[in-house]
Amino acid sequence: MWIYEKKLEYPVKVSSCNPILASLIIEQFGGADGELAAALRYLTQVWTMPIPQAKAILTDIGTEELAHWEIIGTMVYQLVKDLPESKIEGTPFAAHFANHGKSPYPHDASGVPFTATYFNAKGDPIADIYENMAAEQKARATYEHLINLSDDPGVTDALRFLREREIVHFQRFGETARLLQEYMDSKRFY
Amino acid sequence: MNMNRKDFLRKIQELEFAVIELNLFLDTHPSHQQALADYNRLTQELMNAKIMYERQYGPLTNFGYAPSQYPWQWALTPWPWEDDYECKEDMACGYMKKS
Amino acid sequence: MHPIPHHPNSPVNMPNPIPNPMAMPIYNLPPEIQLARAYIPDQPYDRLFPLNEALNKGTLFPNLYQPYMKKRK
């Protein structure tokens, strides 16, 4: 069951109104390597994990990714909430605005809507854990692209936090991979 | 502790973040005694801080995790994406200050 | 130290600019390390950052802190 805590995991305050930046960081809100894909990936895989450490880490990192999704959504919203429509026209955010107004919505920076095909649960613990390790690296790389694109100090600050989280998650999944491998090996001997 | 709301919340974010990190470490190292001791120590600090924060600024979690003053604080206190931290219902929370 | 074998397909007169991994068999794998697997070392539990620093950096653990150097425009 999920309980919502009425605070962000990391204190976020954007430094500007910036519809272009909003249309870029939305990549991590609804894109293939973004936080929603990560959260659903891990929370979906957990049912078929055979050891308690894997069930715990997938549940907990999956939950943390939802908290990150909230951070990205908050930044997208803060970057555009005070803009008049005239300042949105002619920017990449105008296409988003035509459909969704100022509301965040899960699609990537190109406008491709979120899909469950961005992640998988194979029901095979080894395949699943390696997908997760790859996912964390792709997320880290995406944050590095976004850090290079950002000229807003408040946004960059939050992106750096989120990037470092991916590195820590990768380490945790790497440890889980070893534990799963040891478990799968031990099942070969009766 | 006479911090304003934003500073108090920041303190809770620092404590809870450390607790989350230790939680993840313990998930893959369940028999690590030092990590567990650190987790319990920080969790106690975090729980105390939250009780004090909630007394002043309203609940951080609902669904039965914390009691509420009248009127229903959960809905009326600021939401995480509202950086101006002002209460939306003048009538209901005239006593709440802008931080 | 094994001498780097000459790659069979490169001209005999040219020195090897890059060692050819195909020509360097791994002799000394520890017995518990197997092929066709990835191994991430276990994280040692050492020092913790102060709480304020940990939140700013995105991790409680100095040994997991790998900051990014932003590319110059």
Side-chain angles (χ1 to χ4, degrees):
Chain A
M1 168 159 180
W2 274 272
I3 295 296
Y4 176 76
E5 188 174 10
K6 210 179 188 186
K7 81 174 206 318
L8 296 180
E9 186 188 17
Y10 184 80
V12 164
K13 183 76 186 286
V14 307
S15 316
S16 61
C17 290
N18 193 335
I20 297 172
L21 194 52
S23 67
L24 295 173
I25 66 173
I26 211 167
E27 175 71 33
Q28 289 304 83
F29 191 72
D33 306 321
E35 304 291 354
L36 186 61
L40 291 176
R41 180 185 295 109
Y42 309 148
L43 296 172
T44 304
Q45 290 173 354
V46 68
W47 276 275
T48 50
M49 283 291 163
I51 58 176
Q53 298 94 321
K55 293 178 229 204
I57 204 69
L58 284 179
T59 302
D60 295 342
I61 293 184
T63 300
E64 191 187 350
E65 302 293 19
L66 288 176
H68 295 171
W69 183 76
E70 186 185 32
I71 288 174
I72 304 280
T74 295
M75 288 200 289
V76 170
Y77 174 68
Q78 286 180 347
L79 284 167
V80 301
K81 72 180 177 74
D82 295 324
L83 283 174
E85 277 77 339
S86 57
K87 290 284 161 67
I88 293 176
E89 272 176 67
T91 74
F93 196 77
H96 171 104
F97 184 83
N99 191 346
H100 311 291
K102 291 179 177 176
S103 176
Y105 187 86
H107 57 73
D108 71 8
S110 311
V112 177
F114 182 83
T115 167
T117 53
Y118 285 161
F119 62 89
N120 205 351
K122 294 297 287 183
D124 178 297
I126 301 299
D128 285 348
I129 203 72
Y130 280 141
E131 162 155 346
N132 300 349
M133 290 162 68
E136 294 292 347
Q137 289 295 338
K138 289 188 285 182
R140 176 205 44 83
T142 309
Y143 279 120
E144 289 176 11
H145 294 327
L146 291 172
I147 288 168
N148 287 330
L149 287 168
S150 168
D151 54 2
D152 178 314
V155 172
T156 303
D157 189 51
L159 294 175
R160 286 187 182 283
F161 171 83
L162 293 166
R163 174 194 163 275
E164 177 65 35
R165 297 310 300 145
E166 313 302 7
I167 290 170
V168 176
H169 292 168
F170 179 85
Q171 174 63 31
R172 297 280 88 89
F173 285 139
E175 291 160 353
T176 310
R178 198 193 75 248
L179 292 165
L180 282 167
Q181 198 63 260
E182 282 168 11
Y183 171 78
M184 304 304 273
D185 290 344
S186 75
K187 283 179 59 182
R188 290 205 223 121
F189 304 98
Y190 303 111
Chain B
M1 203 174 288
N2 224 8
M3 282 187 280
N4 66 18
R5 182 187 181 294
K6 203 165 173 179
D7 291 343
F8 205 157
L9 192 61
R10 163 82 196 199
K11 188 67 197 149
I12 289 177
Q13 283 168 319
E14 289 175 6
L15 278 166
E16 186 158 327
F17 177 69
V19 161
I20 289 172
E21 275 281 72
L22 291 172
N23 188 332
L24 296 184
F25 182 88
L26 284 163
D27 284 345
T28 50
H29 305 82
S31 46
H32 197 288
Q33 287 176 319
Q34 184 59 51
L36 184 53
D38 290 339
Y39 175 89
N40 282 335
R41 175 176 52 84
L42 287 172
T43 294
Q44 194 56 61
E45 245 186 274
L46 176 63
M47 286 167 74
N48 293 341
K50 282 184 176 177
I51 287 171
M52 287 185 50
Y53 176 92
E54 289 176 325
R55 227 171 253 162
Q56 223 180 329
Y57 297 113
L60 283 168
T61 41
N62 63 339
F63 287 2
Y65 274 64
S68 173
Q69 292 176 0
Y70 178 86
W72 179 239
Q73 292 299 291
W74 175 254
L76 297 173
T77 49
W79 289 82
W81 54 90
E82 292 166 347
D83 54 40
D84 42 2
Y85 296 127
E86 70 186 19
C87 200
K88 294 307 161 192
E89 253 298 294
D90 293 324
M91 185 189 76
C93 37
Y95 61 87
M96 290 190 69
K97 296 188 188 62
K98 193 170 175 173
S99 62
Chain C
M1 181 82 183
H2 301 284
I4 295 171
H6 194 86
H7 193 291
N9 292 339
S10 58
V12 229
N13 299 329
M14 196 192 298
N16 276 341
I18 300 162
N20 180 3
M22 303 298 287
M24 297 198 311
I26 304 165
Y27 293 116
N28 297 319
L29 269 182
E32 65 272 16
I33 303 292
Q34 298 191 38
L35 295 176
R37 294 187 181 186
Y39 293 89
I40 304 297
D42 195 46
Q43 182 203 341
Y45 190 85
D46 294 333
R47 212 165 68 75
L48 305 181
F49 279 130
L51 295 187
N52 181 53
E53 206 177 336
L55 184 62
N56 284 335
K57 290 184 150 78
T59 180
L60 189 58
F61 305 109
N63 60 12
L64 285 184
Y65 181 52
Q66 297 178 4
Y68 178 63
M69 297 299 127
K70 180 171 172 160
K71 288 194 165 62
R72 293 223 150 272
K73 296 214 177 173

